[in-house]
Amino acid sequence: LSVPVEDILLFHAADKSVYAHTKQQQKLVIDYTLDELIDQLDPKYFFQLNRQFIAHVSSLKSIHTYFNGKLKVELTRFEEEEVLVSRERASEFKQWLNQ
């Protein structure tokens, strides 16, 4: 199944698999690791938040400061899950948002 990259909200690694979550609310298994994907995606639109998530800018609902310089990100369709950006990546993430 081929899905246009414009339809993807985020990629999520869980249970030794990587999933693409689409705007049409599909959850598709992907044959790439997050490291392989981030090299193929347009950095203007996608950012690797942590080891579990690569997010499209449109999937970001809100961003909050968290303990020790980390950021807590609320994602579309992952509201119940705590998604954190490390202190080391927080400034790079902020720069990406302001581009």
Side-chain angles (χ1 to χ4, degrees):
L1 182 64
S2 180
V3 177
V5 72
E6 303 85 42
D7 290 344
I8 296 177
L9 283 175
L10 58 93
F11 296 94
H12 177 225
D15 305 321
K16 299 183 182 181
S17 295
V18 175
Y19 302 93
H21 296 266
T22 69
K23 293 176 183 175
Q24 295 77 23
Q25 300 192 7
Q26 294 175 295
K27 181 179 176 181
L28 308 168
V29 177
I30 302 297
D31 291 333
Y32 296 99
T33 66
L34 291 184
D35 288 338
E36 292 169 336
L37 283 170
I38 199 65
D39 291 336
Q40 298 176 37
L41 297 166
D42 187 342
K44 182 177 179 181
Y45 300 107
F46 288 93
F47 188 87
Q48 186 163 0
L49 302 174
N50 54 36
R51 289 187 220 170
Q52 289 87 27
F53 289 95
I54 295 175
H56 188 277
V57 68
S58 68
S59 71
L60 305 175
K61 286 179 70 176
S62 64
I63 300 153
H64 309 280
T65 55
Y66 201 67
F67 302 107
N68 296 326
K70 296 178 186 177
L71 298 174
K72 182 177 178 180
V73 179
E74 287 185 44
L75 298 171
T76 302
R77 300 212 343 244
F78 275 89
E79 296 88 356
E80 71 285 345
E81 190 158 340
E82 190 170 85
V83 179
L84 300 176
V85 177
S86 70
R87 177 180 42 159
E88 295 79 17
R89 300 212 27 135
S91 64
E92 183 183 351
F93 178 65
K94 290 175 184 176
Q95 289 174 0
W96 175 74
L97 285 174
N98 293 324
Q99 65 179 342

Coordinates of all heavy atoms in Angstrom, one line a residue, residues 8-91:
I8 N 0.5 11.7 6.0 CA 1.0 11.1 7.3 C 1.1 12.2 8.4 O 1.7 13.2 8.2 CB 2.3 10.4 7.0 CG1 2.1 9.3 6.0 CG2 3.0 9.9 8.3 CD1 3.3 8.5 5.6
L9 N 0.5 11.9 9.5 CA 0.6 12.7 10.7 C 1.9 12.5 11.5 O 2.6 13.4 11.9 CB -0.6 12.5 11.6 CG -1.9 13.2 11.2 CD1 -3.0 12.8 12.1 CD2 -1.7 14.7 11.2
L10 N 2.2 11.2 11.7 CA 3.3 10.8 12.5 C 3.7 9.4 12.3 O 2.9 8.6 11.7 CB 3.1 11.1 13.9 CG 1.9 10.4 14.6 CD1 2.3 9.1 15.3 CD2 1.3 11.3 15.7
F11 N 4.9 9.0 12.7 CA 5.4 7.7 12.7 C 5.7 7.3 14.2 O 6.1 8.2 14.9 CB 6.7 7.5 11.9 CG 6.6 7.8 10.5 CD1 6.8 9.1 10.0 CD2 6.2 6.8 9.6 CE1 6.7 9.3 8.6 CE2 6.0 7.1 8.2 CZ 6.3 8.3 7.7
H12 N 5.3 6.1 14.5 CA 5.4 5.7 15.9 C 6.0 4.3 16.0 O 5.5 3.4 15.3 CB 3.9 5.7 16.5 CG 3.8 5.2 17.9 ND1 2.9 4.3 18.3 CD2 4.6 5.4 19.0 CE1 3.0 4.1 19.6 NE2 4.1 4.7 20.0
A13 N 7.0 4.2 16.8 CA 7.7 2.9 17.0 C 7.1 2.2 18.3 O 7.1 2.9 19.4 CB 9.2 3.0 17.1
A14 N 6.6 1.0 18.2 CA 6.1 0.3 19.3 C 6.1 -1.2 19.0 O 5.8 -1.6 17.9 CB 4.7 0.7 19.6
D15 N 6.3 -2.0 20.0 CA 6.3 -3.5 19.9 C 7.1 -4.0 18.7 O 6.7 -4.8 17.9 CB 4.8 -3.9 19.7 CG 3.9 -3.5 20.8 OD1 4.4 -3.5 22.0 OD2 2.8 -3.1 20.5
K16 N 8.3 -3.4 18.6 CA 9.3 -3.9 17.6 C 8.8 -3.6 16.1 O 9.3 -4.2 15.2 CB 9.7 -5.3 17.8 CG 10.4 -5.6 19.1 CD 10.8 -7.0 19.2 CE 11.5 -7.2 20.6 NZ 12.0 -8.5 20.8
S17 N 7.9 -2.7 16.0 CA 7.4 -2.3 14.6 C 7.3 -0.8 14.6 O 7.3 -0.1 15.6 CB 6.0 -2.9 14.4 OG 6.1 -4.3 14.3
V18 N 7.2 -0.3 13.3 CA 7.0 1.1 13.1 C 5.7 1.3 12.4 O 5.5 0.6 11.4 CB 8.2 1.8 12.3 CG1 7.9 3.2 12.0 CG2 9.5 1.6 13.1
Y19 N 4.9 2.2 12.8 CA 3.6 2.5 12.3 C 3.5 3.9 11.7 O 4.1 4.8 12.3 CB 2.5 2.3 13.3 CG 2.5 0.9 13.9 CD1 3.2 0.7 15.1 CD2 1.8 -0.1 13.4 CE1 3.2 -0.6 15.7 CE2 1.9 -1.4 13.9 CZ 2.6 -1.6 15.1 OH 2.6 -2.8 15.7
A20 N 2.8 4.1 10.6 CA 2.5 5.4 10.1 C 1.1 5.6 10.4 O 0.2 4.8 10.2 CB 2.7 5.4 8.6
H21 N 0.8 6.8 11.0 CA -0.6 7.2 11.3 C -1.0 8.3 10.4 O -0.3 9.3 10.3 CB -0.7 7.7 12.8 CG -0.3 6.6 13.8 ND1 -1.3 5.9 14.4 CD2 0.8 6.2 14.3 CE1 -0.7 5.0 15.2 NE2 0.6 5.2 15.1
T22 N -2.1 8.1 9.6 CA -2.4 9.0 8.6 C -3.6 9.9 9.0 O -4.2 9.7 10.0 CB -2.9 8.2 7.3 OG1 -4.2 7.6 7.6 CG2 -1.9 7.2 6.9
K23 N -3.8 11.0 8.2 CA -4.8 11.9 8.5 C -6.2 11.3 8.4 O -7.2 11.7 8.9 CB -4.7 13.1 7.5 CG -3.5 13.9 7.7 CD -3.4 15.0 6.7 CE -2.1 15.8 6.9 NZ -1.9 16.8 5.9
Q24 N -6.3 10.2 7.6 CA -7.5 9.4 7.5 C -7.7 8.4 8.6 O -8.6 7.5 8.5 CB -7.5 8.7 6.1 CG -7.5 9.6 4.9 CD -6.2 10.2 4.6 OE1 -5.1 9.7 5.0 NE2 -6.2 11.4 4.0
Q25 N -6.9 8.5 9.6 CA -7.0 7.7 10.8 C -6.7 6.2 10.5 O -7.2 5.3 11.1 CB -8.3 7.8 11.5 CG -8.6 9.2 11.9 CD -9.8 9.3 12.9 OE1 -10.4 8.4 13.3 NE2 -10.1 10.6 13.2
Q26 N -5.7 6.0 9.6 CA -5.2 4.6 9.3 C -4.0 4.5 10.2 O -3.2 5.4 10.4 CB -4.9 4.5 7.9 CG -6.1 4.5 6.9 CD -5.6 4.4 5.5 OE1 -4.9 5.3 5.0 NE2 -5.9 3.3 4.8
K27 N -3.7 3.2 10.5 CA -2.5 2.9 11.2 C -1.8 1.8 10.4 O -2.3 0.7 10.3 CB -2.8 2.4 12.6 CG -1.5 2.0 13.4 CD -1.9 1.5 14.8 CE -0.8 1.0 15.6 NZ -1.2 0.5 16.9
L28 N -0.7 2.1 9.7 CA -0.1 1.2 8.8 C 1.3 0.8 9.2 O 2.1 1.6 9.7 CB 0.0 1.9 7.4 CG -1.2 2.5 6.9 CD1 -0.9 3.4 5.7 CD2 -2.2 1.4 6.5
V29 N 1.7 -0.5 9.1 CA 3.0 -1.0 9.4 C 4.0 -0.5 8.3 O 3.7 -0.6 7.1 CB 3.0 -2.5 9.6 CG1 4.4 -3.0 9.8 CG2 2.1 -3.0 10.7
I30 N 5.1 0.0 8.8 CA 6.1 0.5 7.8 C 7.4 -0.4 7.9 O 7.7 -0.9 9.0 CB 6.6 1.9 8.2 CG1 5.3 2.9 8.2 CG2 7.7 2.5 7.3 CD1 4.7 3.0 6.9
D31 N 8.0 -0.6 6.8 CA 9.2 -1.5 6.7 C 10.5 -0.8 7.0 O 11.6 -1.4 6.7 CB 9.3 -2.2 5.3 CG 8.1 -3.2 5.1 OD1 7.6 -3.7 6.0 OD2 7.8 -3.4 3.9
Y32 N 10.5 0.4 7.5 CA 11.7 1.1 7.8 C 11.8 1.4 9.3 O 10.7 1.5 10.0 CB 11.7 2.5 7.1 CG 11.7 2.4 5.6 CD1 10.6 2.5 4.9 CD2 12.9 2.2 5.0 CE1 10.6 2.4 3.5 CE2 13.0 2.1 3.6 CZ 11.8 2.2 2.8 OH 11.8 2.1 1.5
T33 N 13.0 1.6 9.8 CA 13.1 2.0 11.2 C 12.9 3.6 11.2 O 13.0 4.2 10.2 CB 14.5 1.7 11.7 OG1 15.5 2.5 11.0 CG2 14.9 0.2 11.6
L34 N 12.8 4.1 12.4 CA 12.7 5.6 12.5 C 13.9 6.3 12.0 O 13.8 7.3 11.4 CB 12.4 6.0 14.0 CG 11.0 5.6 14.5 CD1 10.8 6.2 15.9 CD2 9.9 6.1 13.6
D35 N 15.1 5.7 12.3 CA 16.4 6.3 11.8 C 16.4 6.3 10.3 O 16.9 7.3 9.7 CB 17.6 5.5 12.3 CG 17.8 5.7 13.8 OD1 17.3 6.7 14.3 OD2 18.4 4.9 14.5
E36 N 15.9 5.2 9.6 CA 15.9 5.2 8.2 C 14.9 6.2 7.6 O 15.1 6.9 6.6 CB 15.5 3.8 7.7 CG 16.6 2.8 7.9 CD 16.2 1.3 7.7 OE1 15.0 1.1 7.8 OE2 17.1 0.5 7.5
L37 N 13.7 6.3 8.3 CA 12.7 7.2 7.9 C 13.1 8.7 7.9 O 12.9 9.5 7.0 CB 11.4 7.0 8.7 CG 10.6 5.8 8.3 CD1 9.5 5.6 9.4 CD2 9.9 6.0 7.0
I38 N 13.7 9.1 9.1 CA 14.1 10.5 9.3 C 15.0 11.0 8.2 O 15.0 12.1 7.8 CB 14.6 10.8 10.7 CG1 14.5 12.3 11.0 CG2 16.0 10.3 10.9 CD1 13.1 12.8 11.1
D39 N 15.9 10.1 7.6 CA 16.8 10.5 6.6 C 16.0 10.7 5.2 O 16.5 11.4 4.4 CB 17.8 9.4 6.4 CG 18.8 9.3 7.5 OD1 19.0 10.4 8.2 OD2 19.4 8.3 7.7
Q40 N 14.8 10.1 5.1 CA 14.1 10.2 3.8 C 13.0 11.3 3.8 O 12.5 11.7 2.8 CB 13.4 8.8 3.6 CG 14.4 7.7 3.4 CD 13.6 6.4 3.2 OE1 12.6 6.3 2.6 NE2 14.2 5.3 3.8
L41 N 12.7 11.8 5.0 CA 11.6 12.7 5.2 C 12.1 14.2 5.1 O 13.2 14.5 5.4 CB 10.9 12.5 6.5 CG 10.2 11.2 6.7 CD1 9.8 11.0 8.1 CD2 9.0 11.1 5.8
D42 N 11.2 15.1 4.6 CA 11.6 16.5 4.5 C 11.7 17.1 5.9 O 10.7 17.2 6.6 CB 10.5 17.2 3.7 CG 10.8 18.6 3.4 OD1 11.7 19.2 4.0 OD2 10.2 19.2 2.5
P43 N 12.9 17.6 6.3 CA 13.1 18.1 7.6 C 12.3 19.4 7.9 O 12.2 19.8 9.0 CB 14.6 18.4 7.7 CG 15.1 18.4 6.3 CD 14.1 17.6 5.5
K44 N 11.8 20.0 6.8 CA 10.9 21.2 7.0 C 9.6 20.8 7.7 O 9.0 21.6 8.4 CB 10.7 21.8 5.7 CG 9.8 23.1 5.7 CD 9.7 23.7 4.3 CE 8.8 24.9 4.4 NZ 8.6 25.5 3.1
Y45 N 9.1 19.6 7.5 CA 7.8 19.1 8.0 C 7.9 18.1 9.1 O 7.0 17.9 9.8 CB 7.0 18.6 6.8 CG 6.7 19.6 5.8 CD1 7.4 19.6 4.5 CD2 5.9 20.7 6.0 CE1 7.2 20.5 3.6 CE2 5.7 21.7 5.0 CZ 6.3 21.6 3.8 OH 6.1 22.5 2.8
F46 N 9.0 17.3 9.1 CA 9.0 16.2 10.1 C 10.2 16.4 11.0 O 11.3 16.8 10.6 CB 9.2 14.8 9.3 CG 8.0 14.4 8.6 CD1 7.8 14.7 7.3 CD2 7.0 13.6 9.3 CE1 6.6 14.3 6.6 CE2 5.9 13.2 8.6 CZ 5.7 13.5 7.3
F47 N 10.0 16.0 12.3 CA 11.0 16.1 13.3 C 10.9 14.8 14.2 O 9.9 14.4 14.6 CB 10.8 17.3 14.2 CG 11.9 17.6 15.1 CD1 13.0 18.3 14.8 CD2 11.9 17.1 16.4 CE1 14.1 18.6 15.6 CE2 12.9 17.3 17.3 CZ 14.0 18.1 16.9
Q48 N 12.1 14.3 14.5 CA 12.1 13.1 15.4 C 12.1 13.6 16.8 O 13.1 14.2 17.3 CB 13.3 12.2 15.1 CG 13.3 10.9 16.0 CD 14.2 9.9 15.5 OE1 14.9 10.0 14.5 NE2 14.2 8.7 16.2
L49 N 11.0 13.4 17.5 CA 10.8 13.9 18.9 C 11.7 13.1 19.9 O 12.2 13.7 20.8 CB 9.4 13.9 19.3 CG 8.4 14.7 18.3 CD1 7.0 14.4 18.8 CD2 8.7 16.1 18.4
N50 N 11.7 11.8 19.7 CA 12.4 10.9 20.6 C 12.5 9.6 19.9 O 12.3 9.5 18.7 CB 11.7 10.8 21.9 CG 10.2 10.4 21.8 OD1 9.9 9.6 20.9 ND2 9.4 10.9 22.6
R51 N 12.8 8.5 20.7 CA 13.1 7.2 20.0 C 11.8 6.6 19.5 O 11.8 5.6 18.8 CB 13.7 6.3 21.0 CG 15.2 6.6 21.3 CD 15.8 5.6 22.1 NE 16.7 6.2 23.1 CZ 17.2 5.6 24.1 NH1 17.0 4.3 24.3 NH2 18.0 6.2 24.9
Q52 N 10.6 7.1 20.0 CA 9.4 6.5 19.6 C 8.6 7.2 18.5 O 7.7 6.7 17.8 CB 8.4 6.3 20.8 CG 8.9 5.3 21.8 CD 9.8 5.8 22.8 OE1 9.9 7.0 23.1 NE2 10.7 4.9 23.3
F53 N 8.9 8.5 18.3 CA 8.0 9.3 17.5 C 8.8 10.2 16.5 O 9.7 10.9 16.9 CB 7.1 10.3 18.3 CG 6.1 9.6 19.1 CD1 6.2 9.2 20.4 CD2 4.8 9.4 18.5 CE1 5.2 8.6 21.1 CE2 3.8 8.7 19.2 CZ 4.0 8.3 20.5
I54 N 8.3 10.2 15.3 CA 8.6 11.3 14.3 C 7.3 11.9 14.0 O 6.3 11.3 13.6 CB 9.2 10.7 13.0 CG1 10.6 10.0 13.2 CG2 9.4 11.8 11.9 CD1 11.1 9.3 12.0
A55 N 7.2 13.2 14.1 CA 6.0 14.0 14.0 C 6.0 14.9 12.8 O 7.0 15.6 12.6 CB 5.6 14.7 15.3
H56 N 4.9 15.0 12.1 CA 4.7 16.1 11.1 C 4.3 17.3 11.9 O 3.6 17.2 12.9 CB 3.6 15.7 10.1 CG 3.4 16.6 9.0 ND1 2.7 17.7 9.1 CD2 3.9 16.5 7.7 CE1 2.7 18.4 7.9 NE2 3.5 17.7 7.1
V57 N 4.6 18.5 11.4 CA 4.3 19.7 12.1 C 2.8 19.9 12.4 O 2.4 20.4 13.4 CB 4.9 20.9 11.4 CG1 4.2 21.2 10.0 CG2 4.9 22.2 12.2
S58 N 2.0 19.3 11.5 CA 0.5 19.5 11.6 C 0.0 18.6 12.7 O -1.2 18.7 13.1 CB -0.2 19.2 10.3 OG 0.0 17.8 9.9
S59 N 0.8 17.6 13.2 CA 0.3 16.7 14.2 C 0.5 17.3 15.6 O 0.0 16.7 16.6 CB 1.0 15.3 14.1 OG 2.3 15.5 14.5
L60 N 1.2 18.4 15.8 CA 1.4 19.0 17.1 C 0.2 19.8 17.6 O -0.2 20.7 16.9 CB 2.7 19.9 17.0 CG 3.9 19.3 16.4 CD1 5.0 20.4 16.3 CD2 4.4 18.2 17.3
K61 N -0.3 19.4 18.7 CA -1.4 20.1 19.3 C -0.9 21.2 20.3 O -1.4 22.3 20.2 CB -2.3 19.1 20.0 CG -3.2 18.3 19.1 CD -4.1 17.3 19.9 CE -5.2 18.1 20.6 NZ -6.1 17.1 21.3
S62 N 0.0 20.8 21.1 CA 0.5 21.8 22.1 C 1.9 21.4 22.6 O 2.2 20.2 22.5 CB -0.5 22.0 23.2 OG -0.6 20.9 24.0
I63 N 2.6 22.3 23.1 CA 4.0 22.1 23.7 C 4.1 22.8 25.0 O 3.7 23.9 25.1 CB 5.0 22.6 22.7 CG1 4.9 21.9 21.3 CG2 6.4 22.4 23.2 CD1 5.4 22.7 20.2
H64 N 4.6 22.0 26.0 CA 4.7 22.6 27.3 C 6.1 22.3 27.9 O 6.7 21.3 27.5 CB 3.7 21.9 28.3 CG 2.3 21.8 27.8 ND1 1.5 22.9 27.9 CD2 1.6 20.9 27.2 CE1 0.3 22.6 27.4 NE2 0.4 21.4 26.9
T65 N 6.6 23.3 28.7 CA 7.9 23.0 29.3 C 7.7 21.9 30.4 O 6.6 21.7 30.9 CB 8.4 24.3 30.0 OG1 7.4 24.8 30.9 CG2 8.8 25.3 29.0
Y66 N 8.7 21.1 30.6 CA 8.6 20.0 31.5 C 9.9 20.0 32.4 O 10.7 20.9 32.3 CB 8.6 18.7 30.6 CG 8.1 17.5 31.3 CD1 6.7 17.4 31.6 CD2 8.9 16.4 31.5 CE1 6.2 16.3 32.2 CE2 8.4 15.3 32.2 CZ 7.0 15.2 32.5 OH 6.5 14.1 33.1
F67 N 10.1 19.1 33.2 CA 11.2 19.0 34.1 C 12.5 19.0 33.4 O 12.7 18.4 32.4 CB 11.0 17.8 35.1 CG 9.8 17.8 35.8 CD1 8.8 16.9 35.5 CD2 9.6 18.7 36.9 CE1 7.6 16.9 36.2 CE2 8.4 18.6 37.6 CZ 7.4 17.7 37.3
N68 N 13.5 19.6 34.1 CA 14.9 19.5 33.6 C 15.1 20.0 32.2 O 15.9 19.4 31.4 CB 15.5 18.1 33.8 CG 15.6 17.7 35.3 OD1 15.8 18.6 36.1 ND2 15.3 16.5 35.6
G69 N 14.4 20.9 31.7 CA 14.6 21.4 30.3 C 13.9 20.6 29.2 O 14.1 20.9 28.1
K70 N 13.2 19.6 29.6 CA 12.5 18.8 28.6 C 11.3 19.5 28.1 O 10.8 20.4 28.8 CB 12.1 17.4 29.1 CG 13.3 16.6 29.5 CD 12.8 15.3 30.1 CE 14.0 14.4 30.6 NZ 13.5 13.2 31.2
L71 N 10.7 19.1 27.0 CA 9.4 19.6 26.5 C 8.4 18.4 26.4 O 8.8 17.3 26.0 CB 9.6 20.2 25.1 CG 10.5 21.4 25.0 CD1 10.7 21.8 23.5 CD2 10.0 22.6 25.8
K72 N 7.2 18.7 26.8 CA 6.1 17.7 26.7 C 5.3 18.2 25.5 O 4.9 19.3 25.4 CB 5.3 17.7 27.9 CG 4.2 16.7 27.9 CD 3.4 16.6 29.2 CE 2.3 15.6 29.1 NZ 1.5 15.6 30.3
V73 N 5.1 17.2 24.5 CA 4.4 17.5 23.3 C 3.1 16.7 23.3 O 3.1 15.5 23.5 CB 5.3 17.1 22.1 CG1 4.5 17.4 20.8 CG2 6.6 17.9 22.1
E74 N 2.0 17.4 23.0 CA 0.7 16.7 22.8 C 0.5 16.6 21.3 O 0.6 17.5 20.5 CB -0.4 17.5 23.4 CG -0.4 17.5 24.9 CD -1.7 18.2 25.5 OE1 -2.8 17.9 25.0 OE2 -1.5 18.9 26.5
L75 N 0.3 15.3 20.9 CA 0.1 15.0 19.5 C -1.3 14.6 19.2 O -2.0 14.1 20.0 CB 1.0 13.8 19.1 CG 2.5 14.0 19.3 CD1 3.2 12.7 19.1 CD2 3.0 15.0 18.3
T76 N -1.8 15.0 17.9 CA -3.1 14.5 17.5 C -3.1 13.0 17.5 O -2.2 12.3 17.1 CB -3.3 15.0 16.0 OG1 -3.1 16.4 16.0 CG2 -4.6 14.6 15.5
R77 N -4.2 12.5 18.1 CA -4.5 11.0 18.2 C -3.6 10.3 19.2 O -3.6 9.1 19.3 CB -4.4 10.3 16.9 CG -5.4 10.9 15.9 CD -6.0 10.0 14.9 NE -5.3 8.7 14.7 CZ -4.8 8.4 13.5 NH1 -4.7 9.2 12.5 NH2 -4.2 7.2 13.4
F78 N -2.7 11.0 19.9 CA -1.9 10.4 21.0 C -2.0 11.3 22.3 O -1.0 11.5 23.0 CB -0.4 10.3 20.6 CG -0.2 9.1 19.8 CD1 -0.3 9.0 18.4 CD2 0.2 7.9 20.5 CE1 0.0 7.9 17.7 CE2 0.5 6.7 19.7 CZ 0.3 6.7 18.4
E79 N -3.2 11.8 22.5 CA -3.4 12.7 23.6 C -3.1 12.1 25.0 O -2.6 12.7 25.9 CB -4.8 13.3 23.7 CG -5.2 14.2 22.5 CD -5.7 13.4 21.3 OE1 -5.8 12.1 21.4 OE2 -6.1 14.0 20.3
E80 N -3.4 10.8 25.1 CA -3.2 10.1 26.4 C -1.8 9.7 26.7 O -1.4 9.4 27.8 CB -4.1 8.9 26.5 CG -3.7 7.7 25.6 CD -4.0 7.9 24.1 OE1 -4.8 8.8 23.7 OE2 -3.5 7.2 23.3
E81 N -0.9 9.8 25.7 CA 0.5 9.3 25.8 C 1.4 10.5 26.1 O 1.3 11.5 25.5 CB 0.9 8.6 24.6 CG 2.2 7.9 24.8 CD 2.4 6.7 23.8 OE1 1.5 6.2 23.2 OE2 3.6 6.4 23.6
E82 N 2.3 10.3 27.0 CA 3.2 11.4 27.3 C 4.4 11.3 26.4 O 5.2 10.3 26.3 CB 3.7 11.2 28.8 CG 4.6 12.3 29.3 CD 4.8 12.2 30.8 OE1 5.8 11.5 31.1 OE2 4.0 12.8 31.5
V83 N 4.5 12.3 25.5 CA 5.6 12.4 24.5 C 6.6 13.5 24.9 O 6.2 14.6 25.0 CB 5.0 12.6 23.1 CG1 6.1 12.7 22.1 CG2 4.0 11.5 22.7
L84 N 7.8 13.1 25.2 CA 8.8 14.1 25.6 C 9.9 14.3 24.6 O 10.3 13.3 24.0 CB 9.4 13.6 27.0 CG 8.4 13.4 28.1 CD1 9.2 12.9 29.3 CD2 7.7 14.7 28.5
V85 N 10.4 15.5 24.6 CA 11.6 15.9 23.8 C 12.6 16.1 24.8 O 12.5 16.9 25.8 CB 11.3 17.1 22.9 CG1 12.6 17.5 22.2 CG2 10.2 16.9 21.9
S86 N 13.8 15.5 24.7 CA 14.9 15.6 25.7 C 15.4 17.0 25.7 O 15.2 17.8 24.8 CB 16.0 14.6 25.3 OG 16.7 15.1 24.1
R87 N 16.0 17.3 26.8 CA 16.7 18.6 27.0 C 17.7 18.9 25.9 O 17.8 20.0 25.4 CB 17.3 18.6 28.4 CG 18.1 19.9 28.7 CD 18.7 19.8 30.1 NE 19.3 18.5 30.3 CZ 20.2 18.2 31.1 NH1 20.7 19.1 31.9 NH2 20.7 17.0 31.3
E88 N 18.4 17.8 25.5 CA 19.4 18.0 24.5 C 18.8 18.3 23.1 O 19.4 19.0 22.3 CB 20.3 16.7 24.3 CG 21.1 16.3 25.5 CD 20.3 15.7 26.7 OE1 19.2 15.2 26.4 OE2 20.8 15.7 27.8
R89 N 17.6 17.9 22.8 CA 17.0 18.1 21.5 C 16.0 19.3 21.6 O 15.5 19.7 20.6 CB 16.2 16.9 21.1 CG 17.2 15.7 20.9 CD 16.9 14.7 19.9 NE 16.1 15.3 18.8 CZ 16.4 15.0 17.5 NH1 17.4 14.3 17.2 NH2 15.6 15.5 16.6
A90 N 15.7 19.8 22.8 CA 14.7 20.8 22.9 C 15.0 22.1 22.1 O 14.1 22.6 21.5 CB 14.5 21.2 24.4
S91 N 16.2 22.6 22.1 CA 16.5 23.8 21.4 C 16.4 23.6 19.9 O 16.0 24.4 19.2 CB 17.9 24.3 21.8 OG 18.9 23.4 21.4

